[in-house]
Amino acid sequence: MRFAAGMILVDASHSALNMLGIDETTPERTVTRVKKLRKGSLSYPYVSPQAWRYWWRKTLAEHFEWNLSPMFREEKQVFTAANPIEYPDDDVFGYMRAIKKGNVNITVTRMSPLKNSPLISLLPDRSSVTPDEGYASRHEGDPVPYTQEFYSTVLKGVFSLDLDFVGRFTIIDKAGFKNLLSKDEISKLPKSLSDVKSEYESILQKAREMNAQIDDREIFMPKEIRKKRASEVIKALRYIFGGAKQTQYLTDITPKFIILAMFDGGINPFVSDIVYEDRGEIRFDSEALISRILEFKEIINPRKLFIGKDKGFMRGWKDELEKVKDSLTENGVEVAVTTVGDAIVKFAEEIEAYYD
């Protein structure tokens, strides 16, 4: 079990990337809020995890030519093709699809190998959110007042990618692990589900054409396909784009700071407060990062840590990063402190090597 774990910081210097919508509690109903979460007595702006995943998925399509799974809608449900053989985003981002006809109910689900947090502001809303009061005046008659919130902050997000489950599909009768139907289940489908039977026979045929390894419980895609999908998920961070209100605020959401490593297990030691807010300033805690890495030294594999930082971002962190490099190197963990793009490329190469 090997996970690629990471943490990113997005410099959202003037942004409204994920809005809550109109505040219905105000009499005027003209105020558009940003999303916020409460932590203790404070509130923090955030970008929802599904928004981040949407940007990530779209970037993979734009920059790496991923053929995205089509979307279907039935009443109040929206689902994808649930075909991880043909569509890499179904493989990496997971799915749930319920097929109901008469008394027959078939549900396939795939727990996403890629797990991510929301992007959460390091600064509370009282020191990061601004209400911008404006007027719509391009029409005839009196201008119409409105207010929209935006923030100036740094957003933090963490993620983990389960490398063993990229390109590996289980047929176990358990929620999250019944990724596809087995050959036996397909052969027993009633005539009323002939279209479903045909669809799944086609999926299995496609897997055979792609030289996948198929047994009674699992399907393994060829290692070259697994390697390509996993490494491109990480490479996409270098080019990731998206977000609301870009026409008015134009935020570059590529990471300005990133930490990456692989672990034999699903932990992510970067969730804790390695970066934090102190009296309005965002600080980097080198001792916290060193302590976290040493705590999991036995399962960091390979013993390498990749740290990327944009030169113009948080210039005062240089000495703290050198402390991390010196201390961890003395303890047998190789540390590369470099640019964000270089850290992503080098880490992607480590991921590719894992599949060889």
Side-chain angles (χ1 to χ4, degrees):
M1 180 182 289
R2 187 75 59 86
F3 281 75
M7 184 202 83
I8 71 165
L9 298 181
V10 175
D11 187 12
S13 53
H14 38 71
S15 311
L17 294 167
N18 194 203
M19 307 299 286
L20 180 64
I22 297 291
D23 186 347
E24 300 289 346
T25 64
T26 61
E28 304 84 3
R29 296 184 178 179
T30 58
V31 181
T32 305
R33 305 285 188 194
V34 297
K35 290 186 175 181
K36 300 169 195 167
L37 62 84
R38 292 200 64 82
K39 185 177 180 181
S41 60
L42 300 174
S43 293
Y44 294 81
Y46 75 94
V47 172
S48 67
Q50 62 268 29
W52 188 13
R53 293 171 74 83
Y54 176 75
W55 305 340
W56 212 328
R57 194 188 298 247
K58 293 290 287 184
T59 302
L60 285 161
E62 293 287 337
H63 283 273
F64 297 95
E65 299 181 347
W66 278 30
N67 182 22
L68 297 186
S69 184
M71 300 292 294
F72 302 95
R73 180 166 185 170
E74 288 184 0
E75 298 179 349
K76 294 183 178 179
Q77 292 185 335
V78 176
F79 51 86
T80 68
N83 179 355
I85 304 293
E86 187 166 357
Y87 301 110
D89 59 322
D90 273 349
D91 178 359
V92 170
F93 292 88
Y95 52 78
M96 183 178 77
R97 181 184 178 187
I99 302 169
K100 297 179 181 177
K101 283 193 177 180
N103 294 325
V104 181
N105 184 357
I106 301 169
T107 299
V108 289
T109 59
R110 176 166 173 77
M111 186 165 53
S112 171
L114 176 64
K115 299 161 179 61
N116 63 276
S117 70
L119 295 169
I120 302 174
S121 169
L122 292 170
L123 299 175
D125 68 340
R126 68 186 183 191
S127 53
S128 61
V129 174
T130 299
D132 176 47
E133 297 180 354
Y135 292 88
S137 58
R138 295 180 61 189
H139 59 285
E140 293 185 2
D142 295 336
V144 177
Y146 65 92
T147 302
Q148 60 182 6
E149 291 183 336
F150 70 102
Y151 42 78
S152 179
T153 187
V154 172
L155 302 169
K156 173 190 169 185
V158 293
F159 66 89
S160 292
L161 178 63
D162 188 339
L163 300 179
D164 286 322
F165 267 89
V166 174
R168 175 186 175 187
F169 315 119
T170 52
I171 313 172
I172 302 170
D173 191 12
K174 179 181 176 183
F177 293 89
K178 192 175 183 61
N179 302 158
L180 294 165
L181 300 183
S182 67
K183 288 184 288 185
D184 188 49
E185 288 171 315
I186 295 170
S187 66
K188 292 179 181 177
L189 287 173
K191 288 184 178 179
S192 61
L193 291 176
S194 59
D195 55 338
V196 177
K197 181 177 182 178
S198 176
E199 179 184 341
Y200 275 90
E201 286 176 339
S202 177
I203 290 174
L204 283 182
Q205 179 58 32
K206 184 71 175 180
R208 294 187 195 98
E209 292 172 1
M210 297 173 76
N211 296 319
Q213 177 187 334
I214 305 172
D215 62 33
D216 292 336
R217 294 173 64 85
E218 293 183 309
I219 297 175
F220 286 87
M221 299 295 282
K223 71 176 183 181
E224 290 302 321
I225 292 178
R226 301 178 72 197
K227 176 196 298 186
K228 181 175 186 296
R229 290 180 179 182
S231 66
E232 287 180 349
V233 169
I234 301 302
K235 290 175 183 175
L237 287 169
R238 193 177 180 187
Y239 309 108
I240 195 165
F241 66 97
K245 300 288 183 182
Q246 289 285 27
T247 54
Q248 292 172 303
Y249 296 105
L250 187 55
T251 304
D252 175 15
I253 63 167
T254 59
K256 296 298 181 292
F257 182 77
I258 193 165
I259 307 177
L260 300 159
M262 287 197 281
F263 295 89
D264 288 331
I267 62 118
N268 187 318
F270 313 127
V271 174
S272 59
D273 290 338
I274 295 166
V275 289
Y276 62 101
E277 182 258 348
D278 179 25
R279 288 169 288 186
E281 299 292 329
I282 296 172
R283 303 189 184 281
F284 172 72
D285 189 341
S286 60
E287 295 299 327
L289 178 57
I290 292 167
S291 172
R292 294 292 286 169
I293 293 299
L294 293 181
E295 188 170 345
F296 296 105
K297 180 182 173 183
E298 299 307 314
I299 61 169
I300 183 170
N301 190 7
R303 289 190 177 177
K304 295 180 180 178
L305 184 71
F306 298 88
I307 302 176
K309 191 180 85 65
D310 188 278
K311 285 188 177 179
F313 180 73
M314 301 294 174
R315 291 179 172 84
W317 290 6
K318 184 178 178 182
D319 291 342
E320 292 294 306
L321 292 174
E322 287 300 318
K323 287 182 186 175
V324 172
K325 184 174 183 177
D326 292 344
S327 178
L328 292 181
T329 300
E330 290 176 2
N331 284 279
V333 179
E334 182 182 333
V335 180
V337 180
T338 180
T339 63
V340 172
D342 192 48
I344 289 172
V345 169
K346 288 178 176 174
F347 188 63
E349 290 173 354
E350 293 293 336
I351 288 175
E352 291 174 356
Y354 174 66
Y355 291 100
D356 290 334

mmCIF file of all heavy atoms in Angstrom, residues 65 68 76 89 91 108 119 132-133 144 177 220 224-225 245 255 262 273 275 288 312 323:
data_model
loop_
_atom_site.group_PDB
_atom_site.id
_atom_site.type_symbol
_atom_site.label_atom_id
_atom_site.label_comp_id
_atom_site.label_asym_id
_atom_site.label_seq_id
_atom_site.Cartn_x
_atom_site.Cartn_y
_atom_site.Cartn_z
ATOM 1 N N GLU A 65 -5.025 15.431 -22.159
ATOM 2 C CA GLU A 65 -5.950 14.814 -23.114
ATOM 3 C C GLU A 65 -6.684 13.611 -22.526
ATOM 4 O O GLU A 65 -6.894 12.604 -23.208
ATOM 5 C CB GLU A 65 -5.202 14.417 -24.400
ATOM 6 C CG GLU A 65 -4.582 15.617 -25.103
ATOM 7 C CD GLU A 65 -3.871 15.227 -26.379
ATOM 8 O OE1 GLU A 65 -3.638 14.031 -26.593
ATOM 9 O OE2 GLU A 65 -3.567 16.142 -27.172
ATOM 10 N N LEU A 68 -12.677 12.325 -20.654
ATOM 11 C CA LEU A 68 -13.486 12.318 -19.432
ATOM 12 C C LEU A 68 -14.765 11.517 -19.602
ATOM 13 O O LEU A 68 -15.396 11.515 -20.667
ATOM 14 C CB LEU A 68 -13.830 13.751 -19.021
ATOM 15 C CG LEU A 68 -12.653 14.658 -18.666
ATOM 16 C CD1 LEU A 68 -13.158 15.997 -18.141
ATOM 17 C CD2 LEU A 68 -11.733 14.009 -17.639
ATOM 18 N N LYS A 76 -33.185 12.997 -9.871
ATOM 19 C CA LYS A 76 -32.304 13.860 -9.076
ATOM 20 C C LYS A 76 -30.890 13.319 -8.972
ATOM 21 O O LYS A 76 -30.087 13.829 -8.189
ATOM 22 C CB LYS A 76 -32.901 14.031 -7.662
ATOM 23 C CG LYS A 76 -34.225 14.782 -7.652
ATOM 24 C CD LYS A 76 -34.724 14.984 -6.225
ATOM 25 C CE LYS A 76 -36.021 15.764 -6.234
ATOM 26 N NZ LYS A 76 -36.552 15.964 -4.868
ATOM 27 N N ASP A 89 -10.698 9.252 -15.571
ATOM 28 C CA ASP A 89 -11.220 10.012 -14.428
ATOM 29 C C ASP A 89 -12.161 9.161 -13.583
ATOM 30 O O ASP A 89 -12.230 9.347 -12.366
ATOM 31 C CB ASP A 89 -11.909 11.304 -14.876
ATOM 32 C CG ASP A 89 -13.070 11.078 -15.817
ATOM 33 O OD1 ASP A 89 -12.976 10.184 -16.676
ATOM 34 O OD2 ASP A 89 -14.082 11.806 -15.711
ATOM 35 N N ASP A 91 -11.540 6.081 -13.065
ATOM 36 C CA ASP A 91 -10.536 5.330 -12.315
ATOM 37 C C ASP A 91 -10.036 6.129 -11.111
ATOM 38 O O ASP A 91 -10.089 5.655 -9.968
ATOM 39 C CB ASP A 91 -9.383 4.993 -13.268
ATOM 40 C CG ASP A 91 -8.227 4.251 -12.603
ATOM 41 O OD1 ASP A 91 -8.287 3.999 -11.388
ATOM 42 O OD2 ASP A 91 -7.249 3.938 -13.312
ATOM 43 N N VAL A 108 -22.918 -0.131 -8.647
ATOM 44 C CA VAL A 108 -21.458 -0.247 -8.667
ATOM 45 C C VAL A 108 -20.882 1.035 -8.073
ATOM 46 O O VAL A 108 -21.384 2.130 -8.314
ATOM 47 C CB VAL A 108 -20.910 -0.474 -10.097
ATOM 48 C CG1 VAL A 108 -21.241 -1.857 -10.594
ATOM 49 C CG2 VAL A 108 -21.412 0.581 -11.063
ATOM 50 N N LEU A 119 -9.825 23.529 0.151
ATOM 51 C CA LEU A 119 -8.753 24.530 0.223
ATOM 52 C C LEU A 119 -9.208 25.566 1.251
ATOM 53 O O LEU A 119 -10.188 26.273 1.027
ATOM 54 C CB LEU A 119 -8.539 25.183 -1.144
ATOM 55 C CG LEU A 119 -8.035 24.272 -2.266
ATOM 56 C CD1 LEU A 119 -8.125 24.984 -3.614
ATOM 57 C CD2 LEU A 119 -6.600 23.835 -1.987
ATOM 58 N N ASP A 132 -17.313 43.985 -1.215
ATOM 59 C CA ASP A 132 -17.156 44.981 -2.286
ATOM 60 C C ASP A 132 -18.538 45.475 -2.686
ATOM 61 O O ASP A 132 -19.361 44.713 -3.200
ATOM 62 C CB ASP A 132 -16.455 44.338 -3.480
ATOM 63 C CG ASP A 132 -16.364 45.305 -4.647
ATOM 64 O OD1 ASP A 132 -15.979 46.466 -4.426
ATOM 65 O OD2 ASP A 132 -16.706 44.900 -5.777
ATOM 66 N N GLU A 133 -18.798 46.751 -2.439
ATOM 67 C CA GLU A 133 -20.108 47.325 -2.757
ATOM 68 C C GLU A 133 -20.057 47.962 -4.138
ATOM 69 O O GLU A 133 -19.208 48.808 -4.414
ATOM 70 C CB GLU A 133 -20.504 48.344 -1.697
ATOM 71 C CG GLU A 133 -20.658 47.705 -0.314
ATOM 72 C CD GLU A 133 -21.059 48.682 0.749
ATOM 73 O OE1 GLU A 133 -21.117 49.892 0.446
ATOM 74 O OE2 GLU A 133 -21.306 48.258 1.883
ATOM 75 N N VAL A 144 -28.504 49.805 -9.700
ATOM 76 C CA VAL A 144 -28.926 48.794 -8.724
ATOM 77 C C VAL A 144 -27.731 48.427 -7.847
ATOM 78 O O VAL A 144 -26.724 47.941 -8.350
ATOM 79 C CB VAL A 144 -29.457 47.535 -9.435
ATOM 80 C CG1 VAL A 144 -29.830 46.455 -8.408
ATOM 81 C CG2 VAL A 144 -30.647 47.883 -10.308
ATOM 82 N N PHE A 177 -16.065 -1.067 -3.216
ATOM 83 C CA PHE A 177 -15.163 -2.033 -3.836
ATOM 84 C C PHE A 177 -15.832 -2.869 -4.930
ATOM 85 O O PHE A 177 -15.174 -3.666 -5.575
ATOM 86 C CB PHE A 177 -14.576 -2.958 -2.768
ATOM 87 C CG PHE A 177 -13.655 -2.249 -1.811
ATOM 88 C CD1 PHE A 177 -14.142 -1.667 -0.657
ATOM 89 C CD2 PHE A 177 -12.295 -2.137 -2.096
ATOM 90 C CE1 PHE A 177 -13.303 -0.991 0.211
ATOM 91 C CE2 PHE A 177 -11.451 -1.472 -1.233
ATOM 92 C CZ PHE A 177 -11.944 -0.893 -0.069
ATOM 93 N N PHE A 220 -6.537 -5.739 -13.283
ATOM 94 C CA PHE A 220 -5.347 -4.878 -13.232
ATOM 95 C C PHE A 220 -5.060 -4.355 -14.635
ATOM 96 O O PHE A 220 -4.881 -5.143 -15.571
ATOM 97 C CB PHE A 220 -4.124 -5.667 -12.743
ATOM 98 C CG PHE A 220 -4.129 -5.968 -11.280
ATOM 99 C CD1 PHE A 220 -4.753 -7.111 -10.797
ATOM 100 C CD2 PHE A 220 -3.518 -5.114 -10.370
ATOM 101 C CE1 PHE A 220 -4.766 -7.403 -9.441
ATOM 102 C CE2 PHE A 220 -3.515 -5.403 -9.011
ATOM 103 C CZ PHE A 220 -4.142 -6.545 -8.546
ATOM 104 N N GLU A 224 1.969 0.327 -17.606
ATOM 105 C CA GLU A 224 2.221 1.584 -18.302
ATOM 106 C C GLU A 224 1.022 2.525 -18.199
ATOM 107 O O GLU A 224 1.183 3.745 -18.107
ATOM 108 C CB GLU A 224 2.563 1.315 -19.779
ATOM 109 C CG GLU A 224 3.916 0.669 -19.990
ATOM 110 C CD GLU A 224 5.045 1.514 -19.417
ATOM 111 O OE1 GLU A 224 4.981 2.747 -19.548
ATOM 112 O OE2 GLU A 224 5.984 0.934 -18.832
ATOM 113 N N ILE A 225 -0.180 1.958 -18.240
ATOM 114 C CA ILE A 225 -1.384 2.783 -18.110
ATOM 115 C C ILE A 225 -1.523 3.287 -16.671
ATOM 116 O O ILE A 225 -1.837 4.466 -16.433
ATOM 117 C CB ILE A 225 -2.626 1.973 -18.531
ATOM 118 C CG1 ILE A 225 -2.572 1.700 -20.038
ATOM 119 C CG2 ILE A 225 -3.911 2.712 -18.165
ATOM 120 C CD1 ILE A 225 -3.723 0.864 -20.554
ATOM 121 N N LYS A 245 -15.513 33.744 -10.468
ATOM 122 C CA LYS A 245 -15.162 35.170 -10.435
ATOM 123 C C LYS A 245 -13.789 35.474 -11.028
ATOM 124 O O LYS A 245 -13.164 36.477 -10.650
ATOM 125 C CB LYS A 245 -15.222 35.693 -8.988
ATOM 126 C CG LYS A 245 -16.588 35.577 -8.330
ATOM 127 C CD LYS A 245 -17.573 36.561 -8.894
ATOM 128 C CE LYS A 245 -18.909 36.494 -8.179
ATOM 129 N NZ LYS A 245 -19.889 37.422 -8.751
ATOM 130 N N PRO A 255 -0.094 25.890 -7.384
ATOM 131 C CA PRO A 255 0.540 25.997 -6.055
ATOM 132 C C PRO A 255 1.751 26.939 -6.081
ATOM 133 O O PRO A 255 2.552 26.907 -7.011
ATOM 134 C CB PRO A 255 0.983 24.564 -5.765
ATOM 135 C CG PRO A 255 0.163 23.692 -6.648
ATOM 136 C CD PRO A 255 -0.102 24.503 -7.888
ATOM 137 N N MET A 262 6.110 10.034 -0.514
ATOM 138 C CA MET A 262 5.332 8.801 -0.595
ATOM 139 C C MET A 262 5.450 8.034 0.718
ATOM 140 O O MET A 262 6.529 7.995 1.328
ATOM 141 C CB MET A 262 5.817 7.942 -1.763
ATOM 142 C CG MET A 262 5.404 8.505 -3.115
ATOM 143 S SD MET A 262 5.519 7.287 -4.448
ATOM 144 C CE MET A 262 7.267 7.311 -4.755
ATOM 145 N N ASP A 273 -0.524 21.535 11.476
ATOM 146 C CA ASP A 273 -0.221 22.957 11.279
ATOM 147 C C ASP A 273 1.258 23.219 10.989
ATOM 148 O O ASP A 273 1.983 23.834 11.783
ATOM 149 C CB ASP A 273 -0.657 23.747 12.517
ATOM 150 C CG ASP A 273 -2.169 23.791 12.632
ATOM 151 O OD1 ASP A 273 -2.841 23.609 11.601
ATOM 152 O OD2 ASP A 273 -2.658 24.007 13.745
ATOM 153 N N VAL A 275 2.047 25.064 8.444
ATOM 154 C CA VAL A 275 1.929 26.507 8.190
ATOM 155 C C VAL A 275 0.755 27.008 9.027
ATOM 156 O O VAL A 275 -0.244 26.307 9.189
ATOM 157 C CB VAL A 275 1.725 26.833 6.697
ATOM 158 C CG1 VAL A 275 2.989 26.586 5.918
ATOM 159 C CG2 VAL A 275 0.576 26.026 6.114
ATOM 160 N N ALA A 288 7.919 21.667 13.195
ATOM 161 C CA ALA A 288 6.719 20.819 13.078
ATOM 162 C C ALA A 288 6.865 19.847 11.916
ATOM 163 O O ALA A 288 6.538 18.664 12.038
ATOM 164 C CB ALA A 288 5.477 21.685 12.895
ATOM 165 N N GLY A 312 9.015 34.120 -5.488
ATOM 166 C CA GLY A 312 8.394 35.358 -5.029
ATOM 167 C C GLY A 312 7.416 35.172 -3.882
ATOM 168 O O GLY A 312 6.853 36.148 -3.374
ATOM 169 N N LYS A 323 16.728 24.653 7.280
ATOM 170 C CA LYS A 323 16.741 23.873 8.530
ATOM 171 C C LYS A 323 16.117 22.502 8.301
ATOM 172 O O LYS A 323 16.613 21.484 8.798
ATOM 173 C CB LYS A 323 15.957 24.606 9.626
ATOM 174 C CG LYS A 323 16.631 25.822 10.205
ATOM 175 C CD LYS A 323 15.743 26.420 11.313
ATOM 176 C CE LYS A 323 16.319 27.722 11.818
ATOM 177 N NZ LYS A 323 15.401 28.359 12.811
#
